[in-house]
Amino acid sequence: MRQQVATVVWRVVLAAGLVCGIGLLPRLTRTDPALTVLKARSAERDPSPEVLAGIRAQLGLDDGPLHLLTRWLGGLARGDAGQSWISGSDVLPDVLRALGASLLLMAAALVVAAVTAGLVCARTLRLGARRRLGGRRRAGSGSAVVAALPEFLVASVLATVVGVQLGWLPALGWYGPRWTVLPALALGLPAGALIGRLLDDLLPGAFGEPWALAAAARGLTGRRIARQALRRCLPALLPNLGLFAVGLTGGAVAVEQIFDIPGLGRTTLQAALAQDLPVLQTGTLALVLLAALATGATRLAARLLTGPAPRDGALSSLHRPTPPARTVPPLLYGAVLLAVVGFGLPRDPLAVHTGDRLRAPSFDHPFGTDALGRDLLARVGHGALDTLLLALAISAAALLTGVVLGLVPRVSGPLVDTVNAVPPVLAALLVTAVAGSGPATPAFAVAAVAWAPLAAHTSALLRQERATLHVTATRGLGAGRWYLLRHELLPAVLPPVVRHALLRLPGVALALASLGFLGLGAQPPSPEWGLLLAENQPYAERAPWAVLAPAAVLALLGALAVTAAGGLRRPRRRARASAVVREEPAERREPVASR
């Protein structure tokens, strides 16, 4: 009971700190909120001292941020979130309407993600049901390509081709179920590909457990065994599913912008840019509460799926030694990527030739040219130095942070929920407010949120691994907690978490690309890949190569990351469990009777 109360208090402290930090945003940015509000209300109006003084008096800005925050919290306790500084309308009804649109979009995207994940791991399910997983290969790189596609690029292509050219579905607005299909596909396809890869990584261990062998011996159908294998693997993925749900609700800013959806992500972005603090604070608080609800729901679902087995220490390990993966695909993808970078580096990425605008690929310009006549191969090659090195550094830092914090779930659990509730765009604005704008701002913003899924994955895997029979037996032989952590838990948990981090490497690059697409990342004339996509996206219909070139390289990065991740495997244990007593110092052993 004390632990639960402490967790609730820690969660409230984190939420309060986030809301207070947002309330201090104008002071941190050292900008005049009256001027920002005036520009948002009427960009053409002259910002005279009298006009700015009137806005300050109207909003109560002269009373200071602490007074504004206290007044907002007092009204929130009465169900009143105040009025928007821009429109003057009540904040709470507007935020609830935006939240409703985002929840509907999130539900549709999760359906698409579930179907996509099922298609990714369908072959493993089929082979496992027939007891033919001996020669099974990991899921192909096609799912990696889908997972690496930028959401805003998928949204742009769907809106242009399916919505405008073919006219099958509406491409703009939010008026009914038909308007949810294209944005749900844009959000659900990459998320489902990533979830499917994680699930495909766990399924062979479930099919190799004793219950599956006994079920097959009793004559149970393969379909029923496959369903139980899914049920066995889902608890390890449920925390990440909850993070996906919250991330799809508040982080779908680019997709909402393209399809003109009045969702919570877009509302929060507009409020952040205009420093409309009542709307921004209320929207962020709604995301934090949604994250807490999602965490509670996923934990309840995990308990219902696993039953008393974790408490009794009766689980089997899903992370078994696996055969070596093929080395040809990652070498091939890596060679192609190096060739693109190598051929692009000697070229000038900044040379402008207006007479060669939007030229199709040719011998002189293998990737074509952009709207200013600049060589796209040169810009993609030079942009790789920034994008790839930055993404690798952020992924390594996120992996280290995620694993360390995942070892202390009581501390990291509420922190993960709070961090995940902050969209990368808002994180970029907060980082900009604290550290100032610059080329490192997007990196700090992405790094501040990239560790959360890895910490949640680490905690979920550790929770299940601690409940396995071999850990229970090793502990019964006198092993201490440090021995268990070094020799049993970390060797089982680290390979799938590292594979997860590699799977998210293209996602880190995509997060940087999304910030560039929204104008919060690299600025022209930088050849950063996200900026390339943002600059060339308006010309996608006339010159598709201008968008396909950086998108294809991102997809290639995803295929390389996934195939390289397949080579990470748990080493086979050579030592017997009885050797634990000989290796563990006597003073570190924990007597069985004491536990």
Side-chain angles (χ1 to χ4, degrees), residues 30-52:
R30 298 177 179 87
T31 58
D32 186 359
L35 180 60
T36 308
V37 170
L38 177 63
K39 290 181 178 180
R41 289 179 178 178
S42 177
E44 299 178 354
R45 192 172 180 183
D46 183 28
S48 63
E50 294 78 11
V51 173
L52 295 179

Side-chain angles (χ1 to χ4, degrees), residues 123-496:
R123 183 172 180 271
T124 301
L125 286 171
R126 184 174 65 254
L127 293 177
R130 297 175 181 177
R131 315 300 303 169
R132 296 179 181 175
L133 279 176
R136 170 251 185 195
R137 296 176 179 175
R138 294 183 182 273
S141 55
S143 59
V145 173
V146 176
L149 289 176
E151 295 170 349
F152 55 84
L153 177 61
V154 177
S156 300
V157 172
L158 291 176
T160 302
V161 177
V162 180
V164 177
Q165 293 182 349
L166 300 177
W168 291 348
L169 291 167
L172 290 175
W174 189 255
Y175 305 105
R178 294 179 68 242
W179 278 262
T180 65
V181 177
L182 294 183
L185 288 172
L187 290 172
L189 288 175
L194 180 57
I195 294 173
R197 298 291 311 201
L198 296 177
L199 183 60
D200 190 76
D201 192 36
L202 295 176
L203 280 172
F207 281 115
E209 289 184 338
W211 67 264
L213 302 176
R218 290 188 58 187
L220 269 68
T221 62
R223 183 174 299 180
R224 187 172 179 182
I225 296 175
R227 285 200 302 267
Q228 293 300 321
L230 280 175
R231 178 175 179 176
R232 173 70 179 90
C233 296
L234 279 179
L237 296 180
L238 282 175
N240 273 282
L241 289 177
L243 296 183
F244 269 118
V246 180
L248 291 176
T249 304
V253 180
V255 174
E256 292 177 357
Q257 290 277 73
I258 291 172
F259 289 102
D260 194 24
I261 299 174
L264 189 58
R266 184 183 178 191
T267 301
T268 305
L269 172 64
Q270 294 174 348
L273 295 177
Q275 293 192 3
D276 192 352
L277 294 187
V279 177
L280 182 58
Q281 289 171 327
T282 307
T284 305
L285 184 61
L287 287 174
V288 171
L289 294 177
L290 179 64
L293 292 176
T295 300
T298 53
R299 287 182 179 177
L300 178 61
R303 290 180 181 178
L304 293 177
L305 288 173
T306 56
R311 181 193 62 200
D312 298 337
L315 292 178
S316 298
S317 178
L318 290 175
H319 311 290
R320 298 165 179 259
T322 56
R326 295 181 299 171
T327 58
V328 175
L331 292 178
L332 178 62
Y333 296 140
V336 174
L337 189 59
L338 286 176
V340 170
V341 176
F343 283 112
L345 286 179
R347 298 168 177 259
D348 188 357
L350 304 178
V352 176
H353 303 283
T354 55
D356 294 333
R357 295 178 66 252
L358 299 178
R359 288 290 181 89
S362 62
F363 180 78
D364 294 331
H365 304 286
F367 283 2
T369 62
D370 63 5
L372 296 178
R374 295 173 297 191
D375 185 75
L376 281 174
L377 177 58
R379 293 184 64 75
V380 169
H382 283 265
L385 296 179
D386 297 332
T387 305
L388 291 180
L389 293 178
L390 198 56
L392 283 172
I394 293 174
S395 298
L399 175 62
L400 179 61
T401 306
V403 171
V404 171
L405 291 179
L407 297 177
V408 282
R410 293 172 188 168
V411 176
S412 64
L415 187 60
V416 166
D417 297 339
T418 305
V419 168
N420 188 65
V422 180
V425 174
L426 180 56
L429 292 174
L430 292 174
V431 170
T432 302
V434 176
S437 60
T441 298
F444 286 135
V446 175
V449 298
W451 60 269
L454 301 177
H457 196 192
T458 302
S459 298
L461 293 178
L462 278 175
R463 191 179 304 115
Q464 292 212 3
E465 197 67 24
R466 285 193 181 102
T468 56
L469 289 170
H470 74 89
V471 170
T472 303
T474 308
R475 186 186 295 116
L477 291 172
R481 62 178 60 185
W482 288 110
Y483 180 91
L484 291 174
L485 182 65
R486 292 195 310 268
H487 297 277
E488 299 293 340
L489 298 178
L490 285 181
V493 170
L494 277 181

Side-chain angles (χ1 to χ4, degrees), residues 498-564:
V498 174
R499 287 195 294 267
H500 186 181
L502 284 174
L503 290 176
R504 286 191 172 273
L505 176 62
V508 170
L510 292 182
L512 296 170
S514 298
L515 294 178
F517 179 80
L518 295 170
L520 298 174
Q523 300 300 316
S526 170
E528 195 269 331
W529 289 352
L531 186 59
L532 293 184
L533 289 168
E535 290 176 340
N536 297 314
Q537 191 268 337
Y539 309 99
E541 186 175 356
R542 178 183 172 187
W545 56 85
V547 175
L548 291 178
V553 179
L554 273 172
L556 183 63
L557 174 63
L560 173 62
V562 169
T563 52

